[in-house]
Amino acid sequence: MLYLILLLVFLGVMLFYFRIADHYNIIDHPNERSSHDTITIRGGGVIFLFAAICAVIMHPAYWLPVTGILIIGAISFLDDRLTLSSRLRLLFHLAAVTAMFFYLDIFHFEPFYICILLYIMVIGVINMYNFMDGINGITGTYSLVVLGGMQYVNLHQTAFVDPDMIWLPMLACGVFLYFNFRKKAKCFAGDVGSVTIAFWIIMLLMHLIFVAHNWSYILFLVVYGIDSVVTIAHRLMLKQNILKAHRLHFYQIMANERKFSHLWIASGYALLQGIIIYLIVSDLRLATSTLFMITIIPLVIIYISLKPILMRKIPAE
């Protein structure tokens, strides 16, 4: 009953935000990176900030990670509106990740150089998630699958967090998808959405990894990871500035060059990641090295084999 009430409250918050966004002209204009061509309400991802507020009200013990969520979400919302400098964003990202690390007690257990590497990894994953948010439905469906996989582990295999810390972002994903998983989306997540849910997911994932002492759980993000890492390699080969906007992600090629349905692409990414999560959490008892080989190698092969084909110009009729 509580979750049904929260679902309705989240729905009401989204509708209220739409009125605010419409009044203050918080909209997304298509640009060179966009895979859409119409003006749409931006910042629908504020629902994840509201979910974080609900989380800390329901479970005050999680005030530290929620503080990190609110810090990174707030600066991302301001960036959506004002386009802040990268240095200022990085400063707030570092503050948020520091709150996460204090919660995970990383500074106590890990040496200095490992902490530096973890900072780079976490901020890299957050930015990866943000860059992957380019078509309708992809952030919501992918996040829902990853969160669902972690909740299964949490409830049936290794309890590592209060279930509400996963149920709440899942509810928020469901409400967001109601408005975003459409041919013509009612709203986009914006940086506030993709960055906030990325932070929440990586916080949960790192917590699970440290509790279970099993790095195979990092493969919960392998589909996004392969698309991002191999795309960076591709752009470096083309001698492009990897910090500038682009449309060379695998999903962008499918959406923009081949005009595949956004919803089918988003569903495909989520389904593929779901299959991999099943392999990880199933009773197959596969070794970590085996899991890495049977997931990463096929994904890379698929990427480098199909992308050149998809990028070929379609002959004029």
Side-chain angles (χ1 to χ4, degrees):
M1 185 64 180
L2 173 62
Y3 297 126
L4 177 59
I5 293 172
L6 285 171
L7 188 67
L8 295 175
V9 171
F10 285 6
L11 183 62
V13 168
M14 283 290 283
L15 293 173
F16 178 68
Y17 173 73
F18 290 162
R19 297 187 65 177
I20 294 176
D22 187 58
H23 179 77
Y24 289 101
N25 200 36
I26 306 175
I27 56 178
D28 187 279
H29 294 277
N31 56 40
E32 68 273 17
R33 177 177 169 248
S34 302
S35 296
H36 64 282
D37 53 13
T38 58
I39 295 174
T40 308
I41 290 175
R42 190 176 193 179
V46 295
I47 193 62
F48 298 117
L49 284 178
F50 184 77
I53 293 171
C54 291
V56 78
I57 291 173
M58 295 168 63
H59 303 283
Y62 290 100
W63 68 271
L64 201 49
V66 169
T67 297
I69 292 170
L70 295 178
I71 288 172
I72 205 166
I75 196 65
S76 298
F77 182 75
L78 289 175
D79 188 45
D80 279 334
R81 296 285 292 127
L82 305 174
T83 309
L84 305 173
S85 72
S86 58
R87 290 183 180 180
L88 182 61
R89 292 198 310 271
L90 179 60
L91 180 64
F92 278 85
H93 283 210
L94 288 171
V97 174
T98 299
M100 179 201 296
F101 284 4
F102 271 114
Y103 165 68
L104 297 173
D105 210 13
I106 285 176
F107 299 117
H108 179 72
F109 291 105
E110 301 295 341
F112 176 76
Y113 70 95
I114 293 295
C115 292
I116 296 300
L117 291 175
L118 288 175
Y119 269 107
I120 295 171
M121 183 192 79
V122 170
I123 292 176
V125 171
I126 290 170
N127 281 281
M128 171 197 79
Y129 226 91
N130 188 27
F131 294 149
M132 290 296 295
D133 180 36
I135 59 174
N136 299 352
I138 194 166
T139 292
T141 53
Y142 193 85
S143 300
L144 198 58
V145 167
V146 174
L147 288 165
M150 284 193 286
Q151 189 69 295
Y152 176 84
V153 174
N154 189 43
L155 296 176
H156 301 286
Q157 295 181 350
T158 304
F160 66 97
V161 73
D162 189 288
D164 285 344
M165 288 298 292
I166 304 179
W167 287 132
L168 286 168
M170 288 182 71
L171 287 174
C173 281
V175 171
F176 173 70
L177 282 170
Y178 177 73
F179 299 103
N180 180 254
F181 194 78
R182 307 181 182 194
K183 186 176 181 179
K184 291 189 176 181
K186 175 72 174 177
C187 71
F188 296 143
D191 286 356
V192 63
S194 55
V195 169
T196 301
I197 193 61
F199 182 92
W200 202 328
I201 285 174
I202 192 65
M203 181 271 294
L204 291 170
L205 202 53
M206 288 185 67
H207 195 176
L208 172 58
I209 288 169
F210 292 146
V211 169
H213 305 289
N214 185 351
W215 276 94
S216 65
Y217 289 119
I218 199 67
L219 294 173
F220 273 42
L221 298 177
V222 71
V223 176
Y224 265 18
I226 292 300
D227 196 337
S228 299
V229 171
V230 185
T231 296
I232 289 173
H234 183 199
R235 297 191 70 204
L236 289 173
M237 290 174 60
L238 295 174
K239 298 182 180 181
Q240 295 182 357
N241 184 344
I242 63 173
L243 300 179
K244 288 189 176 182
H246 68 93
R247 301 209 302 184
L248 276 179
H249 278 295
F250 194 85
Y251 79 88
Q252 290 174 316
I253 299 297
M254 289 192 289
N256 301 319
E257 305 302 325
R258 293 299 173 173
K259 307 301 180 184
F260 292 167
S261 164
H262 287 202
L263 305 187
W264 279 106
I265 297 170
S267 300
Y269 270 66
L271 178 61
L272 184 56
Q273 185 61 69
I275 293 171
I276 293 170
I277 289 173
Y278 171 77
L279 291 175
I280 298 168
V281 304
S282 67
D283 294 327
L284 298 176
R285 302 184 185 278
L286 298 174
T288 298
S289 57
T290 302
L291 282 169
F292 272 79
M293 285 191 295
I294 66 175
T295 56
I296 292 176
I297 293 175
L299 287 175
V300 171
I301 291 173
I302 291 171
Y303 185 102
I304 63 178
S305 299
L306 291 183
K307 192 173 183 180
I309 297 173
L310 294 173
M311 292 182 68
R312 290 175 187 168
K313 291 185 179 180
I314 301 174
E317 294 183 357

